[in-house]
Amino acid sequence: DIQMTQSPSSLPASIGDRVSITCRASQGIITFLAWFQQKPGRAPKSLIYAASTLQSGVPSRFSGSGSGTDFTLTISSLQPEDLGTYYCQQYYTYPYTFGQGTKLEIK
Amino acid sequence: EVQLIQSGAEVKKPGASVKISCEVAGYTFSGDYMHWVRQAPGKGLEWMGLVDPENGETTYAEKFQGRVTMTADTSTDTAYMELINLRSEDTAVYYCAPGLELQNWGQGTLVTVSS
């Protein structure tokens, strides 16, 4: 199975900050990488697919980059509604696998 | 608008089975694989497997082989996930999500396994 490792696990940040979350795959996945946002008690919400393509309706302050094994999710200016837990996920091969999550919190 | 409506919460005893439904609307049901993902309390996301509604073919994560059955009924646009021989570690919220990139998700179904 492909292991997905996110860092950091927890990210305290202030409103307006530029924040980045990294995701590393244990083997190359080209750009078969998605990012999800999850708020407590809610289903995950798809933000980005194909490593860098924004889902419809997702604010442009979110961006994704990377290919192969190393990927990054960036929020250019953190807003209060961005707080939650973020997961990366590879869909290059079965079984699909997720990172362990990064909890984005107010500093 | 894509809609995925899952069945309600379940409470089961160890050793029992649970079958969760996921009724879809707003897209061609047979045109996308249906994935199932679960999340234990306070934990991360875990992919369980998928079913192809067009032909019923399935792919399961090795961890669930022999305990899980995923099916799809194209006459009602509904997918099902059955998990047998439940244990306490199966307590989780179970989600359905169609398509390659899991763009849309059901609201989740909480399954509690407790004696």
Side-chain angles (χ1 to χ4, degrees), chain B residues 7-28:
Chain B
S7 49
E10 304 262 12
V11 179
K12 297 291 183 181
K13 294 193 181 303
S17 307
V18 69
K19 190 171 185 176
I20 301 167
S21 65
C22 171
E23 184 177 1
V24 317
Y27 76 98
T28 303

Side-chain angles (χ1 to χ4, degrees), chain B residues 39-44 88-93 110-112:
Chain B
Q39 186 171 39
K43 302 296 184 182
S88 58
E89 311 88 88
D90 294 317
T91 293
V93 177
L110 175 62
V111 175
T112 303

Side-chain angles (χ1 to χ4, degrees), chain B residues 17-21 34 36 48-51 56-61 64-72 79-85:
Chain B
S17 307
V18 69
K19 190 171 185 176
I20 301 167
S21 65
M34 181 65 77
W36 291 88
M48 299 179 68
L50 64 87
V51 58
E57 289 187 359
T58 55
T59 299
Y60 301 138
F64 301 102
Q65 287 275 3
R67 284 211 302 142
V68 71
T69 303
M70 297 177 187
T71 56
Y80 299 91
M81 191 283 297
E82 182 177 25
L83 192 61
I84 67 171
N85 193 18

Side-chain angles (χ1 to χ4, degrees), chain A residues 45-77:
Chain A
K45 173 187 175 183
S46 176
L47 298 175
I48 287 170
Y49 64 96
S52 61
T53 303
L54 239 59
Q55 288 285 5
S56 176
V58 173
S60 59
R61 62 181 179 272
F62 290 90
S63 64
S65 64
S67 67
T69 59
D70 294 307
F71 303 87
T72 302
L73 172 70
T74 299
I75 307 173
S76 59
S77 178

Side-chain angles (χ1 to χ4, degrees), chain A residues 12-25:
Chain A
S14 299
I15 301 304
D17 281 355
R18 179 183 180 88
V19 300
S20 291
I21 299 168
T22 63
C23 178
R24 175 164 289 177

